[in-house]
Amino acid sequence: MTAPGSPRRSSPGAPPGPGRRAPEELRSHQWYGTDGLRSFSHRARTRQLGYLPEEHLGKPVIAVLNTWSDINPCHAHLRERAQAVKRGVWQAGGFPLEFPVATLSETFQKPTPMLYRNLLAMETEELLRSYPVDGAVLLGGCDKTTPALLMGAASVGLPTVFVPAGPMLPGHWRGEVLGSGTDMWKYWDDKRAGLIGDCELSELESGLARSPGHCMTMGTAATLTAAAEALGVTLPGASSVPAVDSGHERMAAAAGLRSVELVHRGRGLAQLLTGEAFEDAVTTVLGLGGSSNAVIHLIAMAGRAGVRLTLDDFDRIARRVPVLANVRPGGGPHLMEDFHFAGGLPGFLSRITDLLHLDRPTVAHDSLREQLAGAGVHNDEVIRTRDNPVAAEGGLAVLRGNLCPNGAVIKHIAAEPHLLEHTGPAVVFDDYRTMQRTINDPELGITPDHVLVLRNAGPKGGPGMPEYGMLPLPEYLLKQGVRDMVRISDARMSGTSYGTCVLHVAPESYVGGPLALVRTGDRITLDVPARTLRLEVSEEELARRAAGWEPPPERYERGYGALYNEQITQADTGCDFAFLARPGTVPDPYAG
């Protein structure tokens, strides 16, 4: 008999049975199960960690990638949720290993966490590839973590379950229910307009965000976790479970259980992340009235899965899917907790099944059809019926024209309708700091008819394409009651934002795109019904301006920023790194 804790060469895991993999079929076997020196060393070092042979040998090893940190309020609870995931893995007969990975805090990280999305994707890919793991559970939810984790995991292809962080509790202030982000913008404008003072603003600071979890509006975080569920990489209903609800911990434990089953079944991400899955994710985002940021992220995620997804796909699908989620900021007045208890994403998808590919698999079921069986909606005001939509077409539109030859996007569902067909003179700001410093200057003579233009805020110019696209209006216009104007930039905007904001203009001004050629006073025409954005300047004049344009100096001379600047692609192709987005194989490491 072998004494507890002593090394052994055989694998003591449960014998293979129906639906179970033999120990030697596991990827981790080459680290732990052979007779060579390296396996001896790996087993010895695992004893050093305090684990018995019976705890891990011959069992699926599950990597639990955790984006928790002390400065990411969206993920403040993920330290505990990782323990629930591990509990589920143990119960299913697996062996969990937690890996701390980069935390991308939308609130605090500057100039923008978008600058570091690809860094987390790289870290995710290389951790999963280089360690002895058979499957993964990914814990994220704050805006850039969802696409980053899934991009990296897709490049490896192991069986994977995503655990969304979940929305925070609704905010409260003086009898009003607040939506984080959306009401921040609203009340900040009220402060600038002189409608509220410092005391009210101080109270709002304590009432706007009341718990761990991501924004509880249909911002980027909620949009992308819903997209992940539509892709089939979460458990059913997982994307909207409130972060502090006990159901969230149960969901995390169930994800751990399921990850082990996926390893035994050999269901990797390549079987899930298909062209049909991404088309359903786009349909979901548009039907939710979701964040414009999802366009960039889904294109990048699809590219990692070997699927070609384009702006034209978004516009094509938008014309056939209605907006049914009556949730702020695109719909309203409801929040994500309302959406969850109205049926969540399964309920929402049950109303658009004719627009979905129902025979594709998910992490939880052999088909989406099976997953949605029995799903329903419990509140028709929160998740509207098809004959009473929030909007007849999807909440995003793709624009083309001489100002955006490679495309731009607008979340027209969150814009003032009278501005969707508008021609006005441009007021151009060369960078965000200049705009901040001068936007309130009456000498600029800005009127509600002007078009505010911000450039040098794109992928390279930002750098990182910050969420500058919801340009502030001049205070003197706010005091007159003006709350929206046409705004155009190569930046992004927060998914919790609203207004007539044309975003993601490609190619960006920093690399010489047409936005670099606009001058104050030029007339610009926005026509959302016609899907056009045009600078009313002759082609001859634009050619003359282009000939005189000089590229700005590079922002980074070394470090990650230099790599970013060298490899980043434009918004219309997902802002991935060129060397990561291109096709090609990467061999598994040799562990012997």
Side-chain angles (χ1 to χ4, degrees):
M1 181 176 178
T2 305
S6 63
R8 63 173 71 191
R9 293 184 182 179
S10 60
S11 299
R20 295 188 63 86
R21 288 196 161 191
E24 58 272 14
E25 295 179 295
L26 297 172
R27 182 175 180 271
S28 56
H29 177 78
Q30 63 174 305
W31 273 264
Y32 286 121
T34 68
D35 291 328
L37 170 64
R38 295 298 177 188
S39 282
F40 166 71
S41 173
H42 299 151
R43 293 191 297 269
R45 292 301 186 175
T46 307
R47 303 299 161 267
Q48 181 185 9
L49 290 168
Y51 293 111
L52 295 166
E54 291 83 359
E55 292 185 85
H56 75 97
L57 288 179
K59 296 181 178 181
V61 179
I62 304 298
V64 182
L65 272 58
N66 193 353
T67 52
W68 170 90
S69 83
D70 272 330
I71 199 167
N72 192 333
C74 304
H75 295 180
H77 57 308
L78 293 188
R79 188 180 246 178
E80 290 75 31
R81 295 300 178 269
Q83 297 307 309
V85 171
K86 292 159 79 172
R87 187 177 80 221
V89 173
W90 286 119
Q91 290 293 328
F95 179 62
L97 293 172
E98 185 176 354
F99 292 77
V101 293
T103 189
L104 307 182
S105 175
E106 195 64 37
T107 305
F108 293 104
Q109 194 169 27
K110 306 300 178 188
T112 167
M114 184 64 176
L115 186 69
Y116 302 103
R117 182 200 69 180
N118 297 341
L119 182 63
L120 175 54
M122 291 169 64
E123 183 181 20
T124 299
E125 176 178 351
E126 298 309 322
L127 283 175
L128 295 180
R129 196 183 303 282
S130 61
Y131 278 96
V133 298
D134 303 295
V137 177
L138 314 174
L139 279 69
C142 192
D143 293 10
K144 310 306 174 293
T145 56
T146 298
L149 291 167
L150 288 172
M151 287 164 66
S155 295
V156 181
L158 296 178
T160 300
V161 184
F162 183 75
V163 173
M168 68 177 87
L169 292 174
H172 286 276
W173 176 69
R174 296 189 178 185
E176 292 189 38
V177 178
L178 303 177
S180 61
T182 301
D183 281 308
M184 178 187 74
W185 310 115
K186 174 183 181 296
Y187 284 108
W188 184 252
D189 278 352
D190 281 355
K191 172 67 165 59
R192 296 177 65 224
L195 299 178
I196 62 172
D198 291 338
C199 292
E200 290 88 348
L201 209 63
S202 178
E203 291 176 17
L204 282 160
E205 287 180 9
S206 299
L208 194 60
R210 297 174 46 237
S211 77
H214 61 65
C215 291
M216 75 302 253
T217 51
M218 190 58 75
T220 304
T223 300
L224 286 170
T225 55
E229 184 174 337
L231 286 169
V233 297
T234 78
L235 297 182
S239 62
S240 61
V241 182
V244 295
D245 193 300
S246 62
H248 196 270
E249 182 167 357
R250 296 193 298 272
M251 179 269 293
L257 280 159
R258 191 61 185 172
S259 68
V260 176
E261 177 64 20
L262 289 172
V263 171
H264 284 307
R265 298 186 65 174
R267 182 172 290 176
L269 278 181
Q271 296 171 253
L272 306 179
L273 299 181
T274 63
E276 290 183 343
F278 278 101
E279 185 159 306
D280 288 351
V282 172
T283 299
T284 298
V285 166
L286 295 169
L288 291 171
S291 168
S292 56
N293 289 305
V295 177
I296 295 175
H297 296 310
L298 281 171
I299 288 173
M301 292 160 63
R304 292 297 190 93
V307 173
R308 186 172 184 270
L309 187 66
T310 70
L311 291 178
D312 290 336
D313 292 316
F314 280 85
D315 200 55
R316 170 179 56 83
I317 296 171
R319 294 175 185 272
R320 63 182 177 87
V321 59
V323 178
L324 301 183
N326 196 17
V327 178
R328 301 182 213 180
H334 303 289
L335 297 172
M336 287 306 298
E337 187 169 346
D338 304 312
F339 180 80
H340 178 68
F341 291 110
L345 200 71
F348 169 83
L349 294 179
S350 74
R351 293 203 154 158
I352 57 170
T353 53
D354 58 306
L355 304 177
L356 304 173
H357 300 89
L358 297 175
D359 295 321
R360 59 183 179 85
T362 70
V363 295
H365 293 91
D366 290 330
S367 71
L368 181 61
R369 185 188 310 278
E370 179 185 346
Q371 182 159 308
L372 296 180
V377 174
H378 314 301
N379 187 328
D380 289 342
E381 180 55 28
V382 178
I383 302 174
R384 296 281 188 88
T385 58
R386 294 280 284 273
D387 58 3
N388 182 34
V390 175
E393 289 189 355
L396 298 172
V398 175
L399 307 175
R400 302 279 184 178
N402 67 348
L403 195 50
C404 55
N406 293 349
V409 301
I410 182 171
K411 187 174 180 178
H412 57 90
I413 193 176
E416 289 290 337
H418 74 278
L419 291 173
L420 297 180
E421 295 179 77
H422 180 82
T423 298
V427 178
V428 180
F429 301 96
D430 281 325
D431 60 79
Y432 190 72
R433 292 185 187 183
T434 300
M435 182 277 301
Q436 285 182 306
R437 188 173 65 250
T438 62
I439 188 66
N440 296 318
D441 185 354
E443 293 295 319
L444 292 179
I446 298 173
T447 72
D449 289 332
H450 276 89
V451 176
L452 303 181
V453 175
L454 173 67
R455 56 190 174 206
N456 296 314
K460 286 191 175 184
M465 217 178 172
E467 293 181 339
Y468 293 163
M470 187 184 172
L471 278 70
L473 307 190
E475 284 187 2
Y476 57 84
L477 291 183
L478 289 171
K479 290 176 180 177
Q480 296 171 22
V482 177
R483 286 304 175 100
D484 197 8
M485 292 175 62
V486 176
R487 290 158 274 183
I488 300 172
S489 73
D490 44 18
R492 299 176 300 111
M493 76 174 184
S494 168
T496 65
S497 302
Y498 49 86
T500 312
C501 301
V502 177
L503 310 160
H504 313 175
V505 169
E508 64 176 308
S509 55
Y510 196 79
V511 300
L515 201 64
L517 310 180
V518 183
R519 294 179 179 177
T520 293
D522 290 345
R523 294 184 71 77
I524 295 175
T525 297
L526 168 67
D527 189 338
V528 174
R531 301 298 199 260
T532 58
L533 179 69
R534 180 168 178 81
L535 179 63
E536 303 297 348
V537 174
S538 70
E539 293 302 314
E540 293 77 15
E541 173 62 14
L542 289 177
R544 188 183 67 79
R545 294 181 188 182
W549 180 81
E550 295 184 1
E554 298 289 355
R555 292 193 180 275
Y556 296 97
E557 294 184 354
R558 60 163 301 281
Y560 173 75
L563 172 67
Y564 174 94
N565 193 66
E566 175 187 300
Q567 292 290 328
I568 195 68
T569 64
Q570 289 292 295
D572 59 303
T573 55
C575 295
D576 201 356
F577 285 166
F579 76 95
L580 295 174
R582 67 183 179 225
T585 59
V586 179
D588 240 8
Y590 176 63

